Amino acid sequence: MSWDISGYEKWTWDEIPLGAMTLEGGTGVEHKTGDWRVKRPVWDKEKCKNCLFCWVYCPDNCCEAKDETMVGIDYEHCKGCGVCAQVCPFDAIHMMGEKDARAEEEGEH
Amino acid sequence: MQKLTEIRWHARAGQGAVTASRLVAETAMDDGMYMQAMPEYGAERQGAPLKAYTRISPDPIEIHNNILHPSIVIVLDDTLLPDIDVCEGITEDGLLLVNTRMDADEVREVAINVPASIDVKTVDASNIAVNTIGRDIPNTPIAGALAKVTDVINVDSLKKYVEKSFSEKFSEKIVAGNLASIDRAYEEVH
Amino acid sequence: MAENNIKVMAASGDQMVAEAFRQANPDVLPVYPITPQTIIVEEFDRFVAEGRIHTEFVPVESEHSAMAAAIGASAAGARTITATASQGLAYMWEELYVAAGMRLPIVMANANRALSAPINIHGDHSDIMGCRDSGWIMLFAENAQEAYDDTLISFRVAEHPDVMLPVATTLDGFITSHALDRAELMDDEVVAKFVGEYKPERSLLDTDDPVSYGMFANLGNFYMENKLAQRKAMDASMKVLQEVGDEWEQISGRPFEMVKTFGMEDAERVIVVIGSSIGNARHVARILRERGEKVGVVGLRVFRPFPAEQLVNALKGAKAVAILDRTESFGGEGGPLWAETVAALTKAGVDVPCRNYIYGLGGADVTVELLEGIYEDLKELPAQAAKHEIPAVAYRGNRS
């Protein structure tokens, strides 16, 4: 980040930017919303036909695609709304409890 | 003219009273006066009785309201006379100017309430308009008549203004007809 | 002043606002037409159609959209204008607060008009006074000339770095918006030089230096701080308004007074009023003063920021004050002008009896007799005040 917001918690009325502007683009990347999630979408690469419906529908740009091909899900920002699983015509995404998913992850390691 | 002159116009919608109220105001403005002109806005439908107002003053005009005590009342349609008290609130030394074939005495007879103290003048502006302009639009000739019977506007200023402003929109023939209508009304008002 | 090319116009207030808008050379005008503002839009559209101006004219589908588009355009760094009235302004409501909170210097003309129900197209201040807390600077023109002058001044004030707030430049519906009046139009180049070019510090469309608007500022996050910043800007606008107004006086010869006084050198009975009725009150006061009556008028040209200091100074010598509101505040002690005036007097420790009147709603005529009656009432007010019997807010001009 080029915009120095150190100590922002103490900013007074004359220190905040005019009209509460955010003086930098793309700051959403810094804001990790993945920990809001209760259920996570799990993507099955075998079933996926790369129709990219999920990429179109995801409100948080968390269905990641490269060269018109689905590559994965951004769990740092995914809030677990489940719309990707709803719209997938091939059942290639299913929702899984976050707790179970994490337990499974730990088991794998 | 010393101070504020207030004119009230009575007509039916479509007869050009709003245009007339502006014509008189703008003529006076060209002679360096301050002015206001406005219709009484309401439901607008052809033939409905309407009122319009003109104020003229050598000083800036501060008041913005309907004219309740005009010194001049101008009626563009004599069929209004038995129905509407056109002289309501007119000043004691006021003037009533009517577009009609009737003479002043007949107007006093027909109209609802014409105070004896006021002056009544008539001119057949509709007939003049038909003969000079080719259509029954009495607003230009009635302004010519007003220039004769009061000193609110000057007839030469009126013709100058009509020539200037009408030339922007109308043919030479129509402009000439309007100017002729002013001359005739100026001569024929009595 | 002499070298300026001045054109004396026979024009309505709406036409003069349209001329001022044209001369200010705005980038974007999103707008929806509504009586009695329509002439402004029609005239401006004609200027665009004739190629006299290259403003992006955006005919939107509602006033809500008009203000939304204005907010977007202004955030993108465009000099942005719009115009509305009555239900249109009411429909903009939530967006008005957004424009102010985002500190966007939009200039909006409002032809002040009554609100439904019952339906009424005529002039009063119900619409504009309703948004007095939205964070917009609010100017009230007395006539077509002031509507023109106020509109030009608005751009400079709105875009001033110490201010950066939207401005509503208002004129009374039909009374000022539609009546033909005499007004002076200044030379295009002189105005262009006065208004200047808008150079926004930031633009939403600047991809080299990106910003985003519409920050979430929930509990403890900056909401209070932002509101305080808006108040400080509004406070600062008072000085800027006067400076810009004085500069315009140097060009036009017409003074910009936030509080206009008449007869106040010795007036005992005073009417405080706003909008076109200032002229009516002055007209009546002049007649009464010729008869030797010590009456006066204090008229406000600016309502937000509220020029409390000038108002209190003007009223210091008064013995009885009538405050006239052309809007209602149902159930309140009185209308908005009453509330502000009484608060200002109390804060300054000026003890003068005040009485509130509601008048002219829905374009009800403001007659000489009505105003004479109020001056007459004021003769009793000091005695009523001494007995703590000041009458409650009263209607005038209605059938009773």
Side-chain angles (χ1 to χ4, degrees):
Chain A
M1 277 181 125
S2 58
W3 178 33
D4 182 11
I5 59 163
S6 53
Y8 74 90
E9 301 92 335
K10 294 205 167 109
W11 283 356
T12 53
W13 69 271
D14 49 349
E15 291 171 297
I16 53 173
L18 188 77
M21 248 186 281
T22 304
L23 303 183
E24 194 167 39
T27 52
V29 176
E30 304 293 319
H31 194 40
K32 315 279 190 214
T33 47
D35 59 2
W36 297 12
R37 202 166 52 235
V38 179
K39 283 183 174 177
R40 72 163 60 172
V42 179
W43 171 56
D44 185 341
K45 196 179 173 181
E46 302 305 315
K47 288 185 183 170
C48 179
K49 311 280 188 222
N50 292 308
C51 72
L52 299 184
F53 270 29
C54 56
W55 178 84
V56 170
Y57 277 90
C58 177
D60 285 309
N61 290 340
C62 290
C63 294
E64 295 176 313
K66 207 179 169 200
D67 299 329
E68 296 177 26
T69 308
M70 182 72 181
V71 294
I73 289 167
D74 170 7
Y75 289 125
E76 278 194 341
H77 297 95
C78 169
K79 296 168 186 161
C81 73
V83 71
C84 52
Q86 281 282 335
V87 300
C88 179
F90 308 106
D91 290 327
I93 299 175
H94 73 274
M95 299 304 288
M96 186 182 201
E98 188 63 21
K99 226 161 85 180
D100 296 341
R102 284 188 194 177
E104 210 168 273
E105 268 179 349
E106 271 165 33
E108 279 169 17
H109 292 300
Chain B
M1 198 164 51
Q2 295 294 307
K3 54 185 206 139
L4 179 64
T5 303
E6 296 186 311
I7 305 171
R8 188 171 67 212
W9 302 78
H10 291 270
R12 293 187 188 277
Q15 291 178 321
V18 178
T19 310
S21 72
R22 288 172 162 244
L23 174 62
V24 169
E26 293 189 30
T27 298
M29 197 186 86
D30 270 7
D31 277 344
M33 304 293 277
Y34 288 86
M35 58 78 199
Q36 264 180 14
M38 64 276 182
E40 195 174 81
Y41 289 93
E44 284 165 34
R45 55 192 200 282
Q46 190 88 15
L50 66 75
K51 285 185 254 184
Y53 308 102
T54 304
R55 284 192 172 95
I56 294 167
S57 170
D59 302 313
I61 301 166
E62 296 182 317
I63 191 155
H64 311 272
N65 66 352
N66 297 337
I67 293 173
L68 302 175
H69 304 291
S71 60
I72 300 168
V73 171
I74 303 174
V75 180
L76 286 181
D77 186 329
D78 62 8
T79 65
L80 293 168
L81 295 173
D83 295 334
I84 290 168
D85 182 7
V86 295
C87 290
E88 188 184 2
I90 194 167
T91 56
E92 213 170 300
D93 57 349
L95 166 77
L96 173 65
L97 173 62
V98 187
N99 167 30
T100 182
R101 287 181 189 166
M102 291 185 267
D103 64 21
D105 288 338
E106 286 170 294
V107 166
R108 285 184 192 273
E109 193 103 336
V110 173
I112 288 181
N113 176 28
V114 182
S117 66
I118 70 161
D119 204 2
V120 178
K121 299 286 183 194
T122 66
V123 63
D124 192 355
S126 288
N127 186 42
I128 292 172
V130 169
N131 286 321
T132 53
I133 308 166
R135 274 179 60 202
D136 179 7
I137 31 176
N139 49 18
T140 315
I142 203 95
L146 179 70
K148 174 72 176 287
V149 297
T150 71
D151 56 0
V152 169
I153 49 167
N154 174 285
V155 72
D156 294 328
S157 307
L158 175 66
K159 286 167 74 177
K160 211 170 107 193
Y161 178 76
V162 165
E163 193 164 10
K164 182 184 71 175
S165 64
F166 283 36
S167 297
E168 292 167 13
K169 280 191 266 181
F170 302 112
S171 70
E172 223 169 275
K173 196 178 149 212
I174 290 179
V175 176
N178 273 280
L179 292 173
S181 80
I182 293 171
D183 284 334
R184 274 196 55 185
Y186 190 83
E187 292 306 319
E188 293 177 21
V189 65
H190 57 274
Chain C
M1 225 179 23
E3 67 272 20
N4 290 341
N5 185 12
I6 296 169
K7 188 178 169 198
V8 179
M9 305 266 289
S12 69
D14 273 1
Q15 278 176 290
M16 292 309 291
V17 171
E19 292 284 357
F21 274 168
R22 176 183 62 75
Q23 292 182 317
N25 192 21
D27 300 305
V28 181
L29 165 65
V31 74
Y32 191 84
I34 180 170
T35 294
Q37 148 265 35
T38 318
I39 300 169
I40 300 175
V41 187
E42 285 173 353
E43 287 286 299
F44 197 90
D45 196 14
R46 190 166 59 81
F47 297 145
V48 174
E50 289 172 354
R52 295 178 67 189
I53 187 147
H54 302 288
T55 303
E56 194 70 40
F57 185 94
V58 191
V60 288
E61 73 278 20
S62 76
E63 288 85 358
H64 190 274
S65 304
M67 186 47 64
I71 288 167
S74 187
R79 178 174 277 169
T80 307
I81 58 170
T82 188
T84 193
S86 185
Q87 310 301 126
L89 183 64
Y91 195 24
M92 283 182 180
W93 225 255
E94 57 167 357
E95 304 277 357
L96 296 174
Y97 285 76
V98 176
M102 285 189 179
R103 308 292 296 279
L104 301 173
I106 298 163
V107 174
M108 171 172 69
N110 193 70
N112 305 324
R113 169 186 147 181
L115 290 169
S116 293
I119 296 173
N120 184 301
I121 62 166
H122 288 278
D124 75 21
H125 299 154
S126 303
D127 54 354
I128 189 68
M129 279 300 186
C131 69
R132 65 186 182 276
D133 296 335
S134 65
W136 285 60
I137 290 170
M138 286 163 56
L139 309 180
F140 284 78
E142 184 185 322
N143 49 39
Q145 184 69 68
E146 284 191 2
Y148 172 74
D149 293 342
D150 284 356
T151 305
L152 293 176
I153 288 166
S154 294
F155 288 96
R156 287 280 304 276
V157 176
E159 294 164 3
H160 194 284
D162 293 349
V163 181
M164 290 299 285
L165 287 173
V167 180
T169 172
T170 81
L171 62 168
D172 286 353
F174 287 103
I175 302 156
T176 313
S177 69
H178 278 57
L180 196 71
D181 202 351
R182 171 173 152 154
E184 290 181 4
L185 182 75
M186 306 302 286
D187 187 70
D188 284 1
E189 277 176 37
V190 171
V191 174
K193 205 172 145 214
F194 169 76
V195 176
E197 212 176 304
Y198 175 43
K199 296 193 186 86
E201 207 179 323
R202 308 244 175 206
S203 158
L204 195 58
L205 297 183
D206 182 357
T207 48
D208 292 332
D209 186 11
V211 294
S212 55
Y213 275 89
M215 188 209 252
F216 182 68
N218 219 357
L219 290 175
N221 267 342
F222 305 124
Y223 192 81
M224 282 286 285
E225 288 71 16
N226 253 286
K227 295 299 128 185
L228 180 57
Q230 280 177 251
R231 174 164 275 276
K232 296 279 187 185
M234 193 60 96
D235 291 348
S237 73
M238 189 77 86
K239 183 164 162 269
V240 175
L241 261 167
Q242 197 57 61
E243 281 171 5
V244 175
D246 290 347
E247 200 185 313
W248 182 242
E249 181 184 357
Q250 292 299 312
I251 295 165
S252 68
R254 292 182 292 274
F256 180 84
E257 295 167 316
M258 290 192 238
V259 174
K260 298 178 278 188
T261 60
F262 176 76
M264 293 311 295
E265 59 281 358
D266 65 353
E268 294 175 354
R269 287 173 286 140
V270 183
I271 284 178
V272 177
V273 66
I274 194 162
S276 61
S277 302
I278 297 171
N280 296 36
R282 212 187 283 112
H283 179 92
V284 171
R286 189 169 274 127
I287 296 168
L288 295 179
R289 286 181 70 85
E290 277 168 17
R291 294 184 206 150
E293 297 196 35
K294 289 187 175 172
V295 297
V297 180
V298 174
L300 275 74
R301 187 162 173 176
V302 180
F303 189 76
R304 287 286 185 263
F306 192 75
E309 205 181 313
Q310 293 99 310
L311 181 69
V312 168
N313 281 336
L315 291 176
K316 263 181 182 157
K319 299 225 166 77
V321 177
I323 300 156
L324 274 55
D325 275 291
R326 200 166 195 162
T327 184
E328 250 291 13
S329 180
F330 300 106
E333 276 289 299
L337 187 54
W338 152 270
E340 294 290 347
T341 305
V342 171
L345 289 168
T346 305
K347 177 165 159 279
V350 175
D351 187 14
V352 50
C354 298
R355 197 180 159 184
N356 190 210
Y357 293 90
I358 307 286
Y359 76 105
L361 300 183
D365 205 15
V366 186
T367 62
V368 170
E369 291 76 12
L370 183 154
L371 293 160
E372 278 177 345
I374 289 174
Y375 277 124
E376 193 61 29
D377 282 358
L378 288 181
K379 288 180 178 169
E380 310 294 323
L381 193 60
Q384 290 165 332
K387 289 189 281 176
H388 303 288
E389 286 172 1
I390 292 180
V393 56
Y395 272 49
R396 284 294 179 271
N398 53 302
R399 289 185 294 277
S400 53

